[in-house]
Amino acid sequence: MLLEVTNLTKSFGGITAVRDVTLGIPEGSISAIIGPNGAGKTTLFNLLTGIYKPTSGQIMFNGRSIVGLSPDKVNAAGIARTFQNIRLFPAMTAIENIMVGMHSRLKISVIDTLLRNSAFHQQEKAVSDKARDLLSFVGLLHKANEVSRNLPYGDQRRLEIARALASDPKLILLDEPTAGMNPQETVAATQLFRRVRDELGITVVLIEHDMTVVMGISEHITVLDYGQKIAEGPPEAIRNNARVVEAYLGRRAAGTHQEESDHGDAA
Ligand code: ATP
């Protein structure tokens, strides 16, 4: 397992957003985390990326605990992510959006930078070459110098993925990566996620509401409801899982007594 989460819990005051979740992500796999709104999916990503510290539980990544590491350190350890809402620098060009993140990781001295010497120029070239490679990988090289806010929505999403890839992650977490896309953009994005795994060897985990995407791409699915894992397995098993179907059909909207006994104060 590249990522192993054990008995992970996160409470915010009286709300337990993630409750005793255990899951494993095999290296080189494509997995999905699904569940109704408010199920705890984004909170789980925030725990995995150091934005939140767990109330309890363990997160092992690549053989070591990452609990308590800052988001920067988690990223340096090999986990990159994209967010539900696009977080590009809107006034910067596509290539600048990628390069800006890489600059913070350069091992170049202030003196080199001030002198603009050969060490500086070599690093600048390496950064720019890599950014161009990434733009090419996501199909945006021809738009390298376009200001990101002028890019179509699907392209902005691709650019975010390129930026996440710039940190050379072993694992990429995509939070609702096809939300707001039209059907053509969704198909193209799904192909891109597969290429990230197939061509770059990066393990992919996505939070996704579009069941066509989830069922079409995932090898393994984990289902959360009220912060708890209610099912996991391959797509066929999840599709036919009665508890999952119930969660999605909005059992709680019908207000059955079963709901209260299943979820207790988590509801
Ligand atoms: P969606 O699919 O709607 O994005 P989700 O499955 O990602 O939902 P989360 O955003 O993780 O769900 O939220 C899970 C629960 O935790 C919700 O009840 C939410 O209101 C609560 N929650 C999340 N973050 C916080 C916070 N910082 N403070 C208090 N409650 C929070």
Side-chain angles (χ1 to χ4, degrees):
M1 292 291 164
L2 179 62
L3 179 75
E4 278 188 287
V5 170
T6 314
N7 303 120
L8 196 65
T9 293
K10 178 65 186 176
S11 301
F12 301 101
I15 297 172
T16 301
V18 170
R19 182 182 291 262
D20 205 23
V21 168
T22 293
L23 60 90
I25 302 292
E27 183 151 20
S29 61
I30 301 182
S31 308
I33 313 276
I34 67 169
N37 289 338
K41 305 177 297 294
T42 297
T43 303
L44 177 62
F45 270 19
N46 287 338
L47 289 165
L48 298 178
T49 50
I51 291 176
Y52 295 146
K53 200 164 177 245
T55 306
S56 59
Q58 183 57 270
I59 307 168
M60 298 290 291
F61 175 69
N62 206 17
R64 69 172 177 121
S65 172
I66 55 167
V67 170
L69 295 188
S70 65
D72 270 7
K73 293 261 162 51
V74 171
N75 184 242
I79 301 180
R81 78 177 285 184
T82 62
F83 292 86
Q84 249 175 53
N85 303 316
I86 288 179
R87 294 195 181 184
L88 296 168
F89 295 105
M92 285 188 180
T93 63
I95 196 162
E96 284 167 352
N97 262 286
I98 299 179
M99 289 172 68
V100 74
M102 292 161 74
H103 276 125
S104 63
R105 281 186 290 272
L106 287 182
K107 293 186 176 59
I108 191 161
S109 72
V110 176
I111 299 293
D112 289 337
T113 306
L114 288 174
L115 294 178
R116 298 260 192 263
N117 60 15
S118 65
F120 171 84
H121 288 296
Q122 268 173 24
Q123 294 244 20
E124 273 297 297
K125 169 134 186 17
V127 165
S128 139
D129 287 351
K130 182 169 174 181
R132 295 179 74 79
D133 285 349
L134 288 167
L135 283 172
S136 168
F137 181 77
V138 301
L140 286 178
L141 187 55
H142 60 300
K143 297 187 178 177
N145 296 317
E146 283 193 30
V147 172
S148 75
R149 71 165 159 256
N150 294 340
L151 294 173
Y153 185 78
D155 286 351
Q156 293 193 25
R157 286 271 179 208
R158 282 170 180 277
L159 180 55
E160 282 207 307
I161 291 174
R163 188 171 63 176
L165 294 174
S167 63
D168 294 324
K170 289 177 84 64
L171 169 67
I172 186 164
L173 307 175
L174 307 172
D175 194 347
E176 297 194 26
T178 71
M181 285 188 178
N182 65 38
Q184 290 91 333
E185 287 172 335
T186 299
V187 169
T190 309
Q191 285 163 355
L192 175 60
F193 309 150
R194 194 172 277 121
R195 285 180 51 232
V196 167
R197 193 276 303 272
D198 291 351
E199 295 175 27
L200 305 179
I202 296 171
T203 306
V204 176
V205 179
L206 55 150
I207 293 174
E208 183 56 64
H209 283 292
D210 184 328
M211 283 303 133
T212 310
V213 175
V214 170
M215 295 298 167
I217 196 176
S218 318
E219 289 148 3
H220 188 86
I221 300 172
T222 301
V223 189
L224 299 182
D225 191 21
Y226 287 116
Q228 286 177 294
K229 184 175 76 178
I230 59 165
E232 65 181 335
E236 318 79 67
I238 295 300
R239 190 183 279 124
N240 300 315
N241 183 299
R243 214 169 157 197
V244 176
V245 173
E246 268 184 27
Y248 270 94
L249 288 179
R251 172 191 45 179
R252 69 187 66 87
T256 65
H257 294 301
Q258 184 63 37
E259 173 196 338
E260 284 159 29
S261 60
D262 276 359
H263 296 294
D265 63 357

